Amino acid sequence: MRYYVLDRGDQLSIDLSEQFHKLAKERGLQLDAESPEIVVSIGGDGTMLHAFHTFIDRIPELAFVGVHTGHLGFYADWQADELPALVDYMSGNGDHHPHKPKIVKYPLLELEIHRKSGTSSHIALNEATLKGVDGTVVLQIDINDETFEMFRGDGICISTPSGSTAYNKSLGGAMIHPSIEALQISEIASINNRVFRTMGSPLVLPKHHHCDIFSCREQKLMLTLDHINHPIDDLISMRCQVSEKKISFARYRPFPFWSRVRSAFLV
Ligand code: NAP
């Protein structure tokens, strides 16, 4: 089995990464930076976002495993002291029987960005946000090619189901189980008064729907895909839909989504 490890860069994560390589070598796993079958992220959910974007061109061909060096995360279900057990599971050694992981697939967000300078396509694991740099942004939001509303405020967040527990949650969005192929649109501080009106509630769109966000005037915007910022001052529009691609996670033992939610936010 070919693997690669990405760590957060703090001392604990670096140490664990070295420990992983040592154990993996002993168990016959093969380090492969170019075409790994499994990518192990050691750090936090933020590290998984980095791992996802590092291998963005190979997403359909590999599966991710997360090791958390803090508390258990949404994308990381192994703890630091469980590394030997994880390597055993991955290699089918030790006390563990050879084990084919369950592959769990989560939906991704697809974006098509139309700028005066050209068109580009992207995918995101958590969300895309479009925010103003100089103050209030004015955006027209169309759903399935019909104008839905004019938005004025700080910005808009479009999240995946697995990203719904991140920024989207802070914006009052619903947590959505990742088995539901959907995207969620939530507002970032909309201006609402007698003159300007927006829906005010987060909207959940199914896979076969799409949403277009038009920039309604010359404005400096910040498009953020997960943790990556793209300053844009020539946006025409941005199409958002559920991607045909999905991210795969290799699960060597069950850790259901609602248990993750509970352990992250309640206990
Ligand atoms: P960061 O600002 O250093 O960390 C953001 C926090 O979000 C971290 O605690 C991270 O967990 C957590 N997180 C990431 N993905 C998550 C998920 N799917 N469910 C629940 N929590 C999650 O930034 P970063 O580490 O580069 O991560 C970028 C993410 O930060 C963005 O995708 C966005 O979702 C989130 N964000 C949130 C807010 C907000 O809530 N107001 C504002 C900006 C960005 P770990 O500690 O395990 O890494």
Side-chain angles (χ1 to χ4, degrees), residues 107-119:
L108 298 169
L109 172 66
E110 183 177 296
L111 297 166
E112 211 176 85
I113 315 282
H114 299 280
R115 305 171 65 166
K116 287 178 189 153
S117 52
T119 297

Side-chain angles (χ1 to χ4, degrees), residues 30-218:
Q30 194 187 329
L31 177 63
D32 186 336
E34 297 305 317
S35 56
E37 295 159 88
I38 294 210
V39 172
V40 180
S41 143
I42 301 181
D45 288 326
T47 319
M48 184 61 82
L49 296 176
H50 280 266
F52 172 78
H53 285 275
T54 302
F55 287 95
I56 198 120
D57 297 329
R58 296 198 61 244
I59 294 302
E61 292 136 54
L62 50 81
F64 292 87
V65 173
V67 178
H68 216 291
T69 48
H71 52 89
L72 288 183
F74 278 89
Y75 297 123
D77 38 26
W78 294 84
Q79 278 173 320
D81 58 357
E82 296 178 312
L83 219 53
L86 171 60
V87 181
D88 280 348
Y89 271 116
M90 285 175 66
S91 57
N93 275 313
D95 294 337
H96 303 283
H97 298 295
H99 200 96
K100 253 201 165 308
K102 184 179 174 203
I103 300 295
V104 177
K105 290 178 185 273
Y106 283 1
L108 298 169
L109 172 66
E110 183 177 296
L111 297 166
E112 211 176 85
I113 315 282
H114 299 280
R115 305 171 65 166
K116 287 178 189 153
S117 52
T119 297
S120 58
S121 297
H122 307 265
I123 50 174
L125 173 54
N126 264 357
E127 76 283 290
T129 59
L130 198 55
K131 295 201 263 191
V133 176
D134 288 339
T136 301
V137 289
V138 185
L139 303 167
Q140 177 184 317
I141 300 184
D142 288 14
I143 296 179
N144 299 336
D145 305 314
E146 278 187 27
T147 301
F148 185 77
E149 65 183 10
M150 286 295 285
F151 175 91
R152 282 174 183 78
D154 284 4
I156 289 285
C157 171
I158 300 105
S159 80
T160 64
S162 61
S164 68
T165 51
Y167 202 166
N168 168 78
K169 181 178 180 293
S170 307
L171 299 170
M175 293 192 214
I176 302 211
H177 194 279
S179 62
I180 299 170
E181 294 185 283
L183 61 81
Q184 183 165 189
I185 307 169
S186 34
E187 300 178 355
I188 308 175
S190 56
I191 298 173
N192 263 289
N193 52 37
R194 281 195 314 185
V195 184
F196 304 129
R197 291 227 61 75
T198 60
M199 191 53 72
S201 323
L203 308 173
V204 178
L205 267 51
K207 189 176 180 183
H208 58 285
H209 288 192
H210 62 267
C211 148
D212 292 296
I213 302 176
F214 295 88
S215 176
C216 293
R217 60 181 184 195
E218 291 226 338

Side-chain angles (χ1 to χ4, degrees), residues 223-243:
L223 170 67
T224 306
L225 304 179
D226 297 330
H227 57 291
I228 304 167
N229 290 322
H230 302 270
I232 296 186
D233 58 9
D234 63 347
L235 183 74
I236 300 168
S237 67
M238 173 168 111
R239 172 159 292 200
C240 312
Q241 57 199 345
V242 177
S243 174

